[in-house]
Amino acid sequence: MGTLCKAFAAALALGAASMTAHAAAAKLDGPLTVVVGYAPGGASDRAARIVAHELQNRLGVNVIVENKTGAGGRIAANYVKATPKGKNVLLLGNPTLMMSAPLVYKNIGYDPEKDFKPVSMVTEYRFGIAVSASNPIKTLAELIAWGKAHPKQFNVGVPATGSLPHFFALMLASKIGIKGQVVGYRGSAPLLTDLIGNSVPVAIDTLDVQAPQHVGGKIRILATSGPKREALTPDVPTFTEAGVKLQAYGWGGFFAPASMPDATVDMLGKAIAASVATPAVSKQIEQSNLIPVVADAAKTAQLLRDFRAQWVPVVKNSGYVVEQ
C-alpha cells in the first residue's frame, strides 16, 4: 500500500467546508491534548504540532501537544489508555507502538486493538538503505554482491532494535539471501555518525532522516522502499527498480482511548483529515520530509488492517522478543 488515492484526498479536500461545519456542530467541551511519546523535534512531534495548529482553528478549542517520553513511547500510550472518560486526549501513534511493541515486549500494559480507537492517519514515510559517501559501493546490486562475498561483515545499522527499520532489514535480508547482522543504535543521530565514518558499513533508516545527509553528500542512499522514486531523492531508485521486489512504509497517526465515544472519534477523524487536506498543512508536512495522508477514522482502520497483514508475520517470524 502507498499513499491514499488522489480521488479520496480530493474528495476530502472538497468536503473540508462541510467537515468544518460538522466539527463545529459537535464541538468538544474543553481543550484537546495530543500526547507524543517522543522528544520535541522528531517526526512524531513535528507531525503532531503541524496538525494541532490547524485543528485548533477548525475545532475552536485549544489543542495542546504534550511530550511524555520514555520506554520507546509506551509511557505515553499507557497514559492515554488510562485517560478518564470525558477527557479529550489523543495519542500520536506509530507502527512501533501500535503493531510491533505488543509482539516483542511482554506486559507492555496496553493492547493497541482493544485499548485504542483509530482516529486519523496523517503521515507516511519510506525507508532507505545507505552507505557512507566515501564507500566505493554505488548501487544496491554492488552492495548485495559485496554482502554475499563478505557475509560476516554485512552489519546493517538501524536506529533501534525492535523498530520498523529493524524489521525492514530482516525483510530485506530474506529477499536478498544474506543473513548478516542487525546492529541496533540508540537513535538515528549516532547511527548516522557511524555510517558517515564507515564504522558501520550499511544503514537502514527512515527517509526523512537520511535524505538531508544524502543531499548534503555525506551518505549515499542506494534504494528507497516506496512504489516510485521519492521527491526528496529523485536520483535514487526504488528497491524494485534496483532489482529487489520490495515495498514498505511507516506512518504516524492519531489514536483515541477506547473510552472516547464513537461520535467524538468520528468527528475528530474528519476534522483531522480536513486539516491535513489543506494546502498549508500538506506543504508543512512535506517540508518535514514526510508524506501527508488524508484519512478519517474508517479509512484509518482499514489502512491499519492492511499494514498489520504485511508486518505482523515479519515480526513474529523474526523471533525477536525482549524479556522484561
Side-chain angles (χ1 to χ4, degrees):
M1 188 201 77
T3 53
L4 296 176
C5 65
K6 291 182 179 179
F8 182 74
L12 280 174
L14 289 172
S18 63
M19 288 178 184
T20 302
H22 178 71
K27 248 186 177 182
L28 297 179
D29 57 2
L32 173 66
T33 300
V34 175
V35 178
V36 179
Y38 307 95
S44 294
D45 183 72
R46 294 198 307 272
R49 293 180 188 278
I50 290 169
V51 175
H53 180 73
E54 173 64 23
L55 190 61
Q56 180 167 286
N57 296 332
R58 195 168 292 274
L59 295 178
V61 299
N62 288 334
V63 179
I64 304 156
V65 177
E66 185 175 343
N67 299 87
K68 286 191 173 294
T69 62
R74 297 189 299 282
I75 288 175
N78 278 294
Y79 174 82
V80 174
K81 171 200 168 182
T83 299
K85 188 174 182 179
K87 189 174 182 181
N88 304 316
V89 175
L90 295 178
L91 173 72
L92 198 292
N94 60 25
T96 298
L97 291 179
M98 295 300 171
M99 186 276 298
S100 62
L103 300 175
V104 302
Y105 290 93
K106 294 183 178 180
N107 304 317
I108 62 171
Y110 67 90
D111 183 320
E113 297 187 68
K114 293 180 180 178
D115 296 325
F116 295 93
K117 296 177 180 178
V119 177
S120 179
M121 196 175 287
V122 294
T123 61
E124 276 188 12
Y125 52 84
R126 315 297 190 202
F127 305 102
I129 185 167
V131 297
S132 172
S134 62
N135 192 310
I137 292 173
K138 297 292 194 294
T139 67
L140 183 62
E142 290 178 4
L143 176 66
I144 294 171
W146 176 81
K148 288 183 176 180
H150 307 86
K152 292 184 179 180
Q153 298 177 43
F154 195 72
N155 298 320
V156 182
V158 297
T161 52
S163 65
L164 214 57
H166 176 176
F167 296 115
F168 181 73
L170 297 178
M171 188 186 295
L172 176 62
S174 176
K175 282 280 186 180
I176 63 178
I178 306 174
K179 187 175 181 180
Q181 176 69 35
V182 176
V183 181
Y185 279 74
R186 291 189 174 183
S188 295
L191 172 58
L192 279 171
T193 297
D194 275 8
L195 180 65
I196 292 169
N198 277 310
S199 295
V200 64
V202 190
I204 289 177
D205 206 341
T206 58
L207 197 58
D208 60 294
V209 169
Q210 290 184 339
Q213 305 300 323
H214 174 85
V215 173
K218 293 183 178 180
I219 67 173
R220 181 182 304 113
I221 302 175
L222 304 178
T224 58
S225 68
K228 62 181 181 180
R229 295 195 181 200
E230 304 295 331
L232 295 171
T233 54
D235 58 320
V236 179
T238 66
F239 277 93
T240 300
E241 287 178 324
V244 178
K245 192 174 181 180
L246 184 62
Q247 290 185 22
Y249 69 99
W251 48 264
F254 292 96
F255 292 80
S259 60
M260 183 176 284
D262 289 342
T264 304
V265 170
D266 181 63
M267 179 273 291
L268 286 173
K270 286 180 168 61
I272 293 169
S275 297
V276 177
T278 61
V281 172
S282 289
K283 184 177 181 180
Q284 288 181 71
I285 290 173
E286 290 168 352
Q287 288 174 338
S288 293
N289 296 331
L290 299 168
I291 302 168
V293 177
V294 179
D296 61 8
K299 184 64 179 179
T300 297
Q302 181 58 56
L303 295 175
L304 285 171
R305 286 191 289 270
D306 294 343
F307 183 87
R308 285 172 174 146
Q310 179 188 24
W311 284 97
V312 167
V314 175
V315 177
K316 286 185 174 179
N317 292 339
S318 74
Y320 178 76
V321 176
V322 178
E323 298 291 341
Q324 291 181 310

